[in-house]
Amino acid sequence: MTILSIRGKPVDPAISLIIFFFSALIVGVIPFLYHDTAAQNFPDEETLLSFFGADLCQLTSTTIEERNSYACSAFLLESAGLSAKTAPIAGAFLSVTLTVIPILQFSRIPLGVFFASLGWGFIRAIFLSVLSKDMLSACVVLLSVMAAQHSGFGLTWFLSSTIYGWVVRKYWLLVSAVWLGLRLIRKQLTVFRLLVIIVVVYIALALTFQIALGVTLDFARATVNENREVGAEGSRTVIEAVIASDNALLQALNATITFFRLAFPLELLRFGSVSQLAFISIMPFTFIWMVKVVVEGAKSNNKNLIQAAKVALAPLSFLIIEGVFEPDFGSFARHFAIVSPLVFSAMALAQKTELAEKRLLRRRQAAAISSNPLLVRSTRQDRIS
């Protein structure tokens, strides 16, 4: 059973269970309480509902350009029996399961990690209060979280994310490709090499976009922000290029800077809202934990730690691609809140290795003491005194 720990000291299992239960309850209630407000603030539900009843997805088409992401999302959501009325139910289910399952994968979950996971749960529940494409990506992540501790994780994540990218959000195809590439060179990853690889990925994308499509690397972000109405969702937190250039190398440098701006969104401090402060507080820690698991997995031969690294590479790959496509920090918080449970599943796996090594060390110490009569006698005298 999972228990909460504070500074390494375990909390009573019954108290831990009560805390987990009420946390899940709060996360589950948010979609119902926030639905009306979310429907007014986020246009996704209204847009999706306009496609309900119209078979415009062309799901069987072999040409990806022929599919409209909203039309296909509407088709899938409607086929699942969802509507504006039932959206909070689906949102509550997805929010609770994506929050609770990674927590329950821990043996002992540190208080700080628990609060970070719960913080992402609150953010996720707000955005899943209404019909959105994120409900479909949440299903992809939920399947992967459930498979995180099994050998089938890689296949589950790769296939589900690729299918989602093919049908709904095209940039998820790049997420799948980056994950596969990082997975193949996992053993060579260090913090420095990871930084170099991120820059190389951005250079490759910049050259591909420029040669094959005739556009700059940040064309998607620029297009969204140019067409954005003042006062629309995310208009205050738009991500603008620090280095605007047609040069592929400078575009890659700008994407690298954006990557770290997303990982450490300290520039949002100027707004000072409670929701943004919560996001600013948990995103850097989540990023550091994610990279730590990846690097530790590269150094280890332990199967649990290797598996943890594979899982952590999924949200890391997503973050790399977000450095190219995200138009504003609000959209990034919404999208990363969906994939963040994978970070905590990876940490839970890494913890299993740590606890197993501690148990093995205690057994060896006990065996060494029992095999040495002098140590046994000394230990007995210490107990008596």
Side-chain angles (χ1 to χ4, degrees):
M1 176 182 170
T2 303
I3 57 175
L4 196 63
S5 67
I6 301 176
R7 295 183 179 181
K9 296 181 179 179
V11 175
D12 183 84
I15 296 176
S16 297
L17 185 61
I18 292 172
I19 293 173
F20 296 153
F21 174 77
F22 278 103
S23 300
L25 184 63
I26 293 171
V27 170
V29 167
I30 289 175
F32 296 97
L33 297 178
Y34 203 77
H35 176 261
D36 293 338
T37 304
Q40 295 174 3
N41 293 336
F42 311 133
D44 273 21
E45 181 168 272
E46 184 179 351
T47 305
L48 287 168
L49 289 174
S50 68
F51 284 97
F52 272 42
D55 188 11
L56 301 175
C57 176
Q58 301 187 40
L59 195 61
T60 58
S61 173
T62 57
T63 306
I64 192 171
E65 289 80 5
E66 293 180 0
R67 281 189 292 279
N68 179 288
S69 63
Y70 280 102
C72 288
S73 298
F75 172 77
L76 293 172
L77 292 170
E78 188 178 17
S79 299
L82 296 181
S83 64
K85 290 183 179 180
T86 58
I89 300 174
F93 171 77
L94 291 169
S95 298
V96 170
T97 52
L98 285 174
T99 303
V100 170
I101 292 176
I103 289 175
L104 296 182
Q105 288 173 341
F106 282 86
S107 296
R108 291 183 183 180
I109 182 166
L111 185 64
V113 176
F114 171 72
F115 278 139
S117 178
L118 191 59
W120 283 118
F122 290 158
I123 295 172
R124 188 163 47 244
I126 290 172
F127 288 114
L128 290 178
S129 300
V130 292
L131 290 174
S132 68
K133 290 185 270 188
D134 296 309
M135 285 188 168
L136 298 173
S137 60
C139 292
V140 170
V141 175
L142 179 58
L143 287 173
S144 301
V145 164
M146 293 171 67
Q149 300 195 344
H150 305 284
S151 59
F153 165 79
L155 187 61
T156 301
W157 165 255
F158 182 74
L159 286 181
S160 58
S161 59
T162 300
I163 292 170
Y164 177 72
W166 182 260
V167 177
V168 181
R169 282 192 172 119
K170 299 177 180 64
Y171 70 79
W172 272 67
L173 294 173
L174 294 175
V175 174
S176 299
V178 170
W179 177 83
L180 184 60
L182 292 176
R183 164 71 182 83
L184 293 174
I185 59 171
R186 177 193 59 78
K187 292 183 178 180
Q188 283 71 46
L189 293 179
T190 63
V191 174
F192 176 74
R193 288 174 182 173
L194 187 58
L195 175 60
V196 172
I197 289 167
I198 290 170
V199 175
V200 170
V201 168
Y202 286 142
I203 291 174
L205 288 174
L207 291 172
T208 302
F209 282 26
Q210 198 170 68
I211 296 171
L213 303 177
V215 296
T216 60
L217 186 59
D218 63 347
F219 83 98
R221 174 186 297 123
T223 301
V224 171
N225 288 334
E226 285 174 3
N227 296 326
R228 193 190 295 272
E229 296 180 7
V230 176
E233 179 198 356
S235 60
R236 290 199 310 157
T237 62
V238 293
I239 298 172
E240 296 180 351
V242 175
I243 302 172
S245 174
D246 292 334
N247 181 279
L249 293 179
L250 291 179
Q251 290 172 38
L253 177 59
N254 182 68
T256 305
I257 294 171
T258 302
F259 172 86
F260 285 104
R261 288 171 67 189
L262 295 176
F264 301 94
L266 301 179
E267 60 194 87
L268 296 180
L269 284 170
R270 68 184 188 273
F271 297 110
S273 70
V274 175
S275 59
Q276 286 167 342
L277 287 175
F279 169 60
I280 294 167
S281 300
I282 61 177
M283 183 60 211
F285 287 106
T286 305
F287 172 72
I288 292 169
W289 290 332
M290 176 172 59
V291 173
K292 182 181 177 182
V293 172
V294 169
V295 174
E296 287 180 349
K299 300 175 183 177
S300 176
N301 291 321
N302 183 280
K303 64 178 183 179
N304 281 332
L305 207 50
I306 292 173
Q307 179 75 358
K310 294 176 185 177
V311 175
L313 284 174
L316 179 60
S317 302
F318 182 81
L319 179 58
I320 291 172
I321 298 303
E322 292 287 87
V324 175
F325 290 97
E326 279 298 359
D328 61 85
F329 283 97
S331 296
F332 171 68
R334 176 179 65 186
H335 296 150
F336 196 81
I338 301 298
V339 302
S340 63
L342 289 166
V343 178
F344 300 100
S345 289
M347 293 175 68
L349 270 168
Q351 186 192 68
K352 285 188 174 183
T353 302
E354 181 183 352
L355 293 176
E357 289 176 349
K358 287 182 178 179
R359 285 195 296 268
L360 180 60
L361 179 61
R362 285 196 297 268
R363 288 172 185 171
R364 287 176 177 174
Q365 290 175 339
I369 291 173
S370 62
S371 62
N372 190 326
L374 293 176
L375 287 176
V376 173
R377 189 179 306 164
S378 176
T379 303
R380 287 175 179 173
Q381 290 176 348
D382 290 342
R383 288 176 181 174
I384 294 172
S385 61

